[in-house]
């Protein structure tokens, strides 16, 4: 069985927790896109781990994890992360592999990234980790892959600073390098989990371009970045929060109104700990955007949804969700490609009664309050996609499996 997990919104949906939970039944976890701009937080008891490059399955001692061909690797960030895990008792020896087709992020890419975004008339609000520059160099055919580290002629073409940067890492990187297609072929009967980064609404083609990431955060990216044919993938899970968040600039139709909903925004941000794992920036918050979520389900062939952060709404009298947009004199029920239209869109909201009790103590779905189940079931009908997993807390144990993707 080969299962793909992607973010179904603008990232920060809780994919790390879900991948960590599902990895218990997997043998191999492959991260297929992005770089150190990602931030996956995993909570196990009183221990919290922030991962940026290494797949979430690393916390299980018997799992193999792979940084896929669609990733861009900052060697400094990678080895700092491995050291952090080692210092905290997580032995990664012989368990972390990198596709020989993954690209390398150089320090000068980070400088270019930060300078370029600062010079834009309307900054995108990147993390400034050099990710976009790395993908740009890749598409310009100027990038350096791990496979190129043994290509003497190509290495001699590098700037002196780039060669000096690589010198202490090259041998260690080569020792971790694999031909990912062959690696997975030899494990064709294994349970394999493909881990995405960012969210589908930040995908370069399907997202709110140009306010997107530079990698493939859609489900199709799992086949490309995972070095596996698309027909070999069995199931796609889309992770979404019970509300919406976004980091950086770009359209956000269901964002809480800055005047009338300021208290609600602060409540959601503080209760949901909506601050970037990588940057620490406060996230923009808004109502659950069901128009955008339905669009993500359609464009990614999502088989089932995973709902996180539902417990954030535990104390509210009333909950609202966006079911359409008002753009000028029109009511729009589809997700536009036009940025001006998305910027002008006002959310058409539907209200739901709150449940006014803690969900963290209800780890069996049938014991949920009726109001919480009605909210979930409305989303399922609207998106025509089942919600098979519900998360009601940060801890690994606060996860309700209605239907396992491995079955």
């Amino acid at each position: 069985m080969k299962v793909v997990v992607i973010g179904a919104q603008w990232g920060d949906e809780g994919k790390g927790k879900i991948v960590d939970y599902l990895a218990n039944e997997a043998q191999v976890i492959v991260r297929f896109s992005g770089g150190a701009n990602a931030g996956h937080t995993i909570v196990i008891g009183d221990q919290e781990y922030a991962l940026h490059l290494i797949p979430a399955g690393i916390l299980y001692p018997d799992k193999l994890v792979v940084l896929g061909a669609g990733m861009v690797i900052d060697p400094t960030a990678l080895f700092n992360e491995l050291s952090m895990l080692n210092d905290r008792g997580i032995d990664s020896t012989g368990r972390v592999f990198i596709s020989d087709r993954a690209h390398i992020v150089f320090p000068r890419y980070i400088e270019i990234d930060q300078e370029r975004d600062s010079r834009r008339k309307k900054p995108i609000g990147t993390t400034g980790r050099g990710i976009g520059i790395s993908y740009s160099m890749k598409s310009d055919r100027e990038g350096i892959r791990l496979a190129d580290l043994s290509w003497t002629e190509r290495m001699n073409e590098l700037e002196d600073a780039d060669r000096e940067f690589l010198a202490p890492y090259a041998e260690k990187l080569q020792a971790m390098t694999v031909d990912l297609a062959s690696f997975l072929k030899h494990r064709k009967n294994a349970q394999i989990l493909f881990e995405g980064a960012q969210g589908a609404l930040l995908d370069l083609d399907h997202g709110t371009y140009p306010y997107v990431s530079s990698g493939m955060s859609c489900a199709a990216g799992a086949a490309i970045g995972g070095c596996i044919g698309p027909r070999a993938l069995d199931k796609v899970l889309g992770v979404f929060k019970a509300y919406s968040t976004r980091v950086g600039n770009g359209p956000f139709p269901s964002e809480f109104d800055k005047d009338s909903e300021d208290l609600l925004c602060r409540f959601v941000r503080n209760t949901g700990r909506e601050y970037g794992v990588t940057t620490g920036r406060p996230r923009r918050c808004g109502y659950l955007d069901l128009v955008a979520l339905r669009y993500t389900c359609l464009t990614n062939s999502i088989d089932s949804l995973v709902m996180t952060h539902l417990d954030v709404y535990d104390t509210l009298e009333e909950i609202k969700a966006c079911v359409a947009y008002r753009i000028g004199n029109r009511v729009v029920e589809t997700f536009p490609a036009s940025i001006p239209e998305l910027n002008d869109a006002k959310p058409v909201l539907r209200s739901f009664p709150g449940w006014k009790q803690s969900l963290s103590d209800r780890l069996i779905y049938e014991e949920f309050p009726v109001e919480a189940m009605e909210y979930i079931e409305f989303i399922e009908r609207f998106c025509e996609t089942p919600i098979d997993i519900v998360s009601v807390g940060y801890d690994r144990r606060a996860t309700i499996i209605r239907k396992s993707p491995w079955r």
Side-chain angles (χ1 to χ4, degrees):
M1 179 75 79
K2 296 168 181 62
V3 175
V4 179
V5 176
I6 64 166
Q9 296 166 308
W10 281 280
D12 309 308
E13 302 95 346
K15 295 182 296 299
K17 176 195 170 172
I18 300 305
V19 170
D20 169 74
Y21 188 92
L22 296 177
N24 181 48
E25 294 191 55
Q27 285 82 51
V28 182
I29 300 88
V30 180
R31 166 94 177 268
F32 62 83
S33 67
N37 56 336
H40 293 171
T41 302
I42 299 163
V43 179
I44 304 170
D46 60 353
Q47 296 294 310
E48 186 170 312
Y49 302 86
L51 301 175
H52 302 279
L53 281 167
I54 300 172
I58 192 66
L59 299 181
Y60 293 92
D62 59 338
K63 311 301 178 184
L64 305 180
V65 302
V66 186
L67 284 67
M71 290 188 67
V72 289
I73 313 295
D74 178 340
T76 302
L78 173 64
F79 288 107
N80 283 344
E81 198 164 306
L82 288 170
S83 294
M84 176 275 291
L85 290 169
N86 184 65
D87 291 344
R88 299 185 63 180
I90 307 297
D91 184 7
S92 62
T93 306
R95 296 198 295 122
V96 180
F97 303 91
I98 311 174
S99 167
D100 51 11
R101 286 174 160 79
H103 279 244
I104 293 172
V105 179
F106 291 96
R108 62 185 174 89
Y109 293 1
I110 298 171
E111 296 170 10
I112 296 169
D113 191 3
Q114 294 172 356
E115 180 187 358
R116 180 176 292 181
D117 205 44
S118 68
R119 284 193 283 105
R120 288 189 172 102
K121 290 184 179 179
K122 293 185 177 179
I124 292 171
T126 74
T127 59
R129 295 295 197 273
I131 308 304
I133 304 304
S134 300
Y135 282 114
S136 177
M137 297 291 281
K138 176 180 178 177
S139 64
D140 285 343
R141 283 137 315 168
E142 297 289 342
I144 297 294
R145 307 170 302 162
L146 268 76
D148 301 330
L149 294 176
S150 57
W151 183 7
T152 304
E153 182 181 359
R154 187 74 180 95
M155 291 296 100
N156 289 338
E157 294 172 356
L158 290 180
E159 297 180 11
D160 290 344
D162 289 348
R163 277 200 303 273
E164 290 172 9
F165 170 71
L166 280 176
Y169 299 117
E171 189 174 330
K172 291 190 289 185
L173 287 170
Q174 287 174 305
M176 300 164 70
T177 300
V178 294
D179 172 348
L180 183 52
S182 296
F183 183 91
L184 294 183
K185 179 185 177 183
H186 292 131
R187 295 165 177 81
K188 62 182 180 181
N189 295 321
Q191 304 264 65
I192 302 176
L193 194 57
F194 292 86
E195 173 186 353
Q198 285 79 52
L201 295 175
L202 292 175
D203 182 75
L204 190 59
D205 291 299
H206 296 297
T208 50
Y209 187 89
Y211 301 97
V212 293
S213 187
S214 298
M216 296 187 71
S217 48
C218 61
I224 298 171
C227 294
I228 193 168
R231 288 189 296 171
L233 301 173
D234 296 298
K235 196 168 292 186
V236 178
L237 274 62
V239 184
F240 76 102
K241 280 189 282 210
Y243 47 91
S244 300
T245 64
R246 177 162 197 165
V247 173
N249 297 324
F252 189 4
S254 68
E255 187 168 13
F256 293 138
D257 184 271
K258 290 181 174 59
D259 297 322
S260 61
E261 302 291 355
D262 185 55
L263 287 175
L264 182 56
C265 180
R266 279 186 285 169
F267 168 80
V268 169
R269 181 179 290 149
N270 292 330
T271 307
R273 301 197 299 188
E274 296 298 347
Y275 297 87
V277 177
T278 301
T279 64
R281 288 182 294 182
R283 296 172 185 145
R284 298 160 64 190
C285 300
Y287 303 105
L288 174 60
D289 188 335
L290 290 174
V291 179
L293 184 61
R294 182 168 58 188
Y295 165 79
T296 299
C297 290
L298 287 171
T299 54
N300 291 273
S301 297
I302 290 176
D303 294 292
S304 67
L305 289 163
V306 179
M307 187 182 205
T308 65
H309 288 67
L310 184 59
D311 54 302
V312 169
Y313 278 160
D314 279 354
T315 61
L316 297 186
E317 294 279 356
E318 182 184 53
I319 295 160
K320 296 179 182 179
C322 170
V323 295
Y325 305 140
R326 191 173 299 281
I327 303 175
N329 296 321
R330 298 178 296 138
V331 173
V332 177
E333 296 181 347
T334 56
F335 192 72
S338 166
I339 297 301
E341 285 193 351
L342 284 170
N343 282 334
D344 291 342
K346 305 298 180 188
V348 176
L349 300 174
R350 173 168 176 149
S351 296
F352 302 85
W355 40 90
K356 298 287 291 177
Q357 53 188 293
S358 173
L359 296 181
S360 300
D361 304 325
R362 310 288 183 92
L363 298 184
I364 299 173
Y365 182 74
E366 288 71 22
E367 296 180 357
F368 270 23
V370 171
E371 295 84 357
M373 289 194 284
E374 287 177 348
Y375 183 54
I376 290 169
E377 289 162 10
F378 178 84
I379 296 167
E380 291 180 311
R381 292 194 300 273
F382 191 96
C383 295
E384 299 178 25
T385 309
I387 297 173
D388 286 342
I389 301 175
V390 181
S391 170
V392 291
Y394 295 100
D395 193 271
R396 184 187 276 171
R397 295 166 295 185
T399 311
I400 295 102
I401 306 293
R402 300 175 69 194
K403 181 180 178 183
S404 170
W406 298 119
R407 306 289 176 262

